[in-house]
Amino acid sequence: MSRRKTQITSDIAWSTRDSIVVRGLSLPDEILGHFNLGDMAFLELTGRRPTPQESIVFNAIVITLVEHGITPSAIAARMTYLGAPESLQGAVAAGLCGLGTRFVGTMEGASKMLYEALPRSAVGTGVDLDALARETVARMRADKIMIPGLGHPVHKPEDPRTPRLFQIAAENGLSGDYIALMRHIGRHAEAASGKSLPINATGAIGAICCEFGFPWEVVRGFGVMARAIGLVGHIMEEREKPFAFETWQRLEEEALAAHGLTRE
Amino acid sequence: MSRRKTQITSDIAWSTRDSIVVRGLSLPDEILGHFNLGDMAFLELTGRRPTPQESIVFNAIVITLVEHGITPSAIAARMTYLGAPESLQGAVAAGLCGLGTRFVGTMEGASKMLYEALPRSAVGTGVDLDALARETVARMRADKIMIPGLGHPVHKPEDPRTPRLFQIAAENGLSGDYIALMRHIGRHAEAASGKSLPINATGAIGAICCEFGFPWEVVRGFGVMARAIGLVGHIMEEREKPFAFETWQRLEEEALAAHGLTRE
Amino acid sequence: MSRRKTQITSDIAWSTRDSIVVRGLSLPDEILGHFNLGDMAFLELTGRRPTPQESIVFNAIVITLVEHGITPSAIAARMTYLGAPESLQGAVAAGLCGLGTRFVGTMEGASKMLYEALPRSAVGTGVDLDALARETVARMRADKIMIPGLGHPVHKPEDPRTPRLFQIAAENGLSGDYIALMRHIGRHAEAASGKSLPINATGAIGAICCEFGFPWEVVRGFGVMARAIGLVGHIMEEREKPFAFETWQRLEEEALAAHGLTRE
Amino acid sequence: MSRRKTQITSDIAWSTRDSIVVRGLSLPDEILGHFNLGDMAFLELTGRRPTPQESIVFNAIVITLVEHGITPSAIAARMTYLGAPESLQGAVAAGLCGLGTRFVGTMEGASKMLYEALPRSAVGTGVDLDALARETVARMRADKIMIPGLGHPVHKPEDPRTPRLFQIAAENGLSGDYIALMRHIGRHAEAASGKSLPINATGAIGAICCEFGFPWEVVRGFGVMARAIGLVGHIMEEREKPFAFETWQRLEEEALAAHGLTRE
């Protein structure tokens, strides 16, 4: 007996002879010239046009994720470009492969933690956020789970992106229970650990994504799309002011010397 | 004797305790809340802020590249997500790997062709663009090289993105010799081949990139960064309305049947 | 105050003017002509030469993982090749990105489960494997965790690779407590669920990897290296007998029809 | 009018309830326990079982490509693993993306050059290989094309892999016109340039691939599949003796210092 086929379908976009439609809007007529790239990403992912306020906040959070200087991801992209300069897309792909649990993952972790503590249906019902934060911190510490979105190895005493992102969210009507809860969690985590644990950019973005109501699973996607832009920037710089070759040579020489050898 | 070390350096971005600088601008103070994502990409890649006119045109060309419906690249990303749903970044990376010579490459091909015909130093010197186009078409046809940026398998008689992109460029002072040259090339190619060869979106974008003065090598990068956004969109849809599994099953069944076999 | 540097070093391989050493052996003199590719993989990963018996078993488990027909991973590789035929490496990379938790992950899951039930230090101490299996199955069922390495959607009543792999392991002195434990687990899982749950190839390989004493974290690596071979095979076939383009066209047409549209 | 469908088919492998067939052989009965991994790769790619002599030579060439110490590709894989340790497959994929024209490409370049000079139909027809080599070198020098497969930055005066690979080929009846032609080309290139240009390992392997009659397009695939094994080895070492984090820190500190900054 034969398997029942299911329908192949996609609601994102389609083209015919004379039309190109993305999320129900005509690309030439309703999108080009009217949207900026952040709005287009919002449309692509949510299926609707952002409000002017959402546009400002969403562009800000994605922009924050574009460029973090010399990261492992940028180094991987540059090393890949050294071997395959004809394949810029492969170098970007290599850089993206490292956007996993260690770096970009904390952002989705923050969103997930906030949603688990405060489901969307409970927003605005007068839940005691301070008590909720205290419980969340206590439970995570008991389970020895690191609280995502807090602390930073370099930015001290605070991450300069966080107050600015929260300000932009507040000015545009997107500062509600989730940002408040994240702040309470930060405060309780500091009290419990005795360490300074400022909310970092991934924590701020994770909280703002909850204000938008984005599912936590999509949050990593924002980091991935934004970093693709940054990686193209690094590859362009590598073309003119390379450091991949020099890095490779140094590593190989040092490793050889560790075995008492030289190449010559 | 020892190798001379070269300096490791990058001018894109850096962070200290209390500052984060991208291309010379303070990320929290001068970028967040002031830039949209397209402007940020422009800053990242060129090292300067776009003018308001450049911002409109640049956002339009990158937005055009975000989403093309069900492409081989989107299918590859969805297939990858099916096997590794925990690694959204890997699915996007897999999709990007296919943005090579066949699709996105025609855009850089168009820019390269235009720069080779008309070096930037010759712009505005009163070169006869019509004659230049005739020679370019004749030479490429003699060498049996396909002229990039012309014709489209679906959009007929014209690609609806092209007039709109050229209009946006013209309204913002970015329609000069390169767009004119591309139009002449299209006309001569049609005359020489006897076929309808409208300028397609990759040809239009390739020409506009020349108006900006972007090196042709970076042009593919715009496609890669834009498509990363589109691929995140496809993976999000695959989570809720998947078609990768169904596609896989159909392909396997048909290939099995071609050998006279069934699974059962 | 300055960070303390740590030494960059690698014990895998190095080259000087006249020598190339991999894992302490001269590549030209001691490896080439003496090793097969499976032995080389064993050397690369364990740092030692396999015994003749280990060579037979290790080659068999890795060979099992090379080729599984039309898989999502092979489809992703072929789609990528369609877009970037100049970048064979990118097509293989795209295919590998999907070797995540869903497919290859069950193999490492089986190894992990066996090591957690029976640490290496407990092997040969006369533990009651039947009781251990009963507890393991009961605990996993209580926690609603799927037992990895059991059952197969196609191969019924048994996976034909499993008895053969276990036979090869037994003939070469590599069938001990872990394979026995896996069999007990299979039996108890069938009894508890009332369903037929034969040990599949990933379960068999997971158990054999425990017999070798490989850390469970490396097990996915065997799948990745083996599948790279298979993916090169699929890309070579795609060059001569392609199906990526046809698949793409069908998907796009069906999705368009679902919206009541045609391209023409 | 509707598009004509083409048949989806693959001759590589298929499975039914009780059988698994790869290239016409039963995996459990005819492959497992009888093949080594190199033979399996040969079967996968050529569709036939290697002869005992072919097995020795093919295993040797693929083994040569497994491990080259600390390469840009290995560095990219380790950097990726640092960010996404849960995705070993992504780290291998990132490393493979760099196997492009710069490194592995010379091998396919050598095969292509040899086939263009001496088509397979001309083998054994008594062509003057010395004259052919002289012309090939002269033409490539006139066109300013680098002759692939000659010279090595480290191995001097000769690459120790080359004589060994040629010896293994000769001992197994696979040393014919193509290896002879490669040697003539090396000699003429040295005479014309006045520099020492020994045949390197990629040149030797490119020539041996021609002896096998492999299409030059598949040659890069051997490098890709072999290096996947080496990259798994590097990721396993990175787990226990990492150097990615230290490398990242050093690069970031040096780049910061170049701008007169420190993190603190």
Side-chain angles (χ1 to χ4, degrees), chain C residues 73-145:
Chain C
S73 174
I75 299 166
R78 286 169 177 253
M79 288 289 162
T80 303
Y81 184 73
L82 173 60
E86 74 286 0
S87 170
L88 183 146
Q89 73 277 7
V92 175
L96 293 186
C97 282
L99 300 181
T101 51
R102 200 75 67 97
F103 302 115
V104 182
T106 59
M107 198 162 62
E108 75 181 14
S111 284
K112 199 177 171 204
M113 169 185 73
L114 293 171
Y115 280 136
E116 281 171 1
L118 184 71
R120 293 209 19 99
S121 57
V123 170
T125 59
V127 178
D128 181 344
L129 297 174
D130 182 66
L132 202 57
R134 195 183 314 111
E135 285 161 34
T136 299
V137 168
R139 197 187 54 247
M140 292 181 82
R141 286 178 60 88
D143 294 350
K144 299 193 189 306
I145 298 170

Side-chain angles (χ1 to χ4, degrees), chain C residues 5 52 62 97 130 132 143 147 179 232 239 259:
Chain C
K5 287 197 180 180
V62 182
C97 282
D130 182 66
L132 202 57
D143 294 350
I147 297 173
I179 290 178
V232 174
R239 287 181 59 229
H259 291 287

Side-chain angles (χ1 to χ4, degrees), chain C residues 34-238:
Chain C
H34 306 289
F35 276 56
N36 63 50
L37 185 60
D39 296 348
M40 180 68 179
F42 191 98
L43 175 72
E44 172 81 18
L45 285 162
T46 68
R48 68 176 178 83
R49 198 186 302 250
T51 66
Q53 290 75 31
E54 287 174 330
S55 170
I56 292 169
V57 181
F58 185 73
N59 272 283
I61 61 175
V62 182
I63 284 171
T64 304
L65 299 165
V66 166
E67 179 52 55
H68 291 184
I70 297 177
T71 55
S73 174
I75 299 166
R78 286 169 177 253
M79 288 289 162
T80 303
Y81 184 73
L82 173 60
E86 74 286 0
S87 170
L88 183 146
Q89 73 277 7
V92 175
L96 293 186
C97 282
L99 300 181
T101 51
R102 200 75 67 97
F103 302 115
V104 182
T106 59
M107 198 162 62
E108 75 181 14
S111 284
K112 199 177 171 204
M113 169 185 73
L114 293 171
Y115 280 136
E116 281 171 1
L118 184 71
R120 293 209 19 99
S121 57
V123 170
T125 59
V127 178
D128 181 344
L129 297 174
D130 182 66
L132 202 57
R134 195 183 314 111
E135 285 161 34
T136 299
V137 168
R139 197 187 54 247
M140 292 181 82
R141 286 178 60 88
D143 294 350
K144 299 193 189 306
I145 298 170
M146 213 183 65
I147 297 173
L150 300 182
H152 199 281
V154 173
H155 299 306
K156 291 167 186 165
E158 75 171 359
D159 184 327
R161 297 164 293 190
T162 300
R164 180 66 179 133
L165 286 167
F166 282 165
Q167 178 194 18
I168 293 170
E171 286 170 5
N172 289 282
L174 276 159
S175 186
D177 281 0
Y178 289 110
I179 290 178
L181 178 60
M182 190 74 210
R183 283 179 160 139
H184 284 297
I185 287 174
R187 210 163 29 77
H188 283 290
E190 290 199 328
S193 71
K195 288 190 291 188
S196 169
L197 288 173
I199 300 172
N200 61 34
T202 63
I205 292 172
I208 295 172
C209 285
C210 292
E211 298 290 346
F212 272 106
F214 294 135
W216 67 263
E217 291 90 346
V218 77
V219 175
R220 189 186 299 195
F222 299 153
V224 171
M225 66 169 68
R227 199 59 69 83
I229 296 171
L231 290 171
V232 174
H234 278 272
I235 294 162
M236 287 303 118
E237 191 181 58
E238 180 70 20

Side-chain angles (χ1 to χ4, degrees), chain D residues 77-199:
Chain D
R78 286 170 178 252
M79 287 290 161
T80 303
Y81 184 73
L82 173 61
E86 74 286 0
S87 169
L88 183 147
Q89 74 277 8
V92 175
L96 293 186
C97 282
L99 300 181
T101 51
R102 199 76 66 96
F103 301 117
V104 181
T106 59
M107 199 160 62
E108 75 181 14
S111 284
K112 199 177 171 206
M113 170 185 71
L114 294 170
Y115 280 135
E116 281 171 0
L118 183 71
R120 295 212 14 102
S121 56
V123 170
T125 60
V127 178
D128 181 343
L129 298 174
D130 181 66
L132 202 57
R134 194 183 316 112
E135 284 160 35
T136 299
V137 169
R139 197 187 54 247
M140 293 181 82
R141 286 178 60 89
D143 294 350
K144 299 195 188 307
I145 297 170
M146 215 184 64
I147 298 174
L150 300 181
H152 198 280
V154 172
H155 299 305
K156 289 165 187 167
E158 75 170 1
D159 185 327
R161 296 164 292 190
T162 301
R164 180 66 179 133
L165 286 167
F166 282 165
Q167 178 195 16
I168 293 169
E171 285 170 4
N172 289 283
L174 276 160
S175 187
D177 280 1
Y178 288 109
I179 290 178
L181 178 59
M182 189 75 210
R183 283 178 161 139
H184 284 297
I185 287 174
R187 209 162 31 75
H188 282 291
E190 290 199 330
S193 71
K195 288 190 291 187
S196 169
L197 287 173
I199 300 172

Side-chain angles (χ1 to χ4, degrees), chain A residues 75 78-79 82 238 242-249, chain B residues 8, chain D residues 72 75:
Chain A
I75 300 166
R78 286 169 178 254
M79 287 290 162
L82 173 61
E238 181 69 19
F243 67 69
F245 184 82
E246 172 71 19
T247 301
W248 169 32
Q249 296 301 304
Chain B
I8 303 290
Chain D
I75 299 167

Side-chain angles (χ1 to χ4, degrees), chain A residues 97-116:
Chain A
C97 282
L99 299 182
T101 51
R102 200 75 67 96
F103 302 116
V104 181
T106 59
M107 199 161 62
E108 74 181 15
S111 283
K112 198 177 172 205
M113 170 185 73
L114 294 171
Y115 280 136
E116 282 171 1

Side-chain angles (χ1 to χ4, degrees), chain A residues 163 166-167 175 178-188 199:
Chain A
F166 283 165
Q167 178 194 17
S175 186
Y178 288 110
I179 290 178
L181 178 59
M182 190 74 209
R183 284 180 160 139
H184 284 298
I185 287 174
R187 209 163 30 75
H188 282 291
I199 300 172

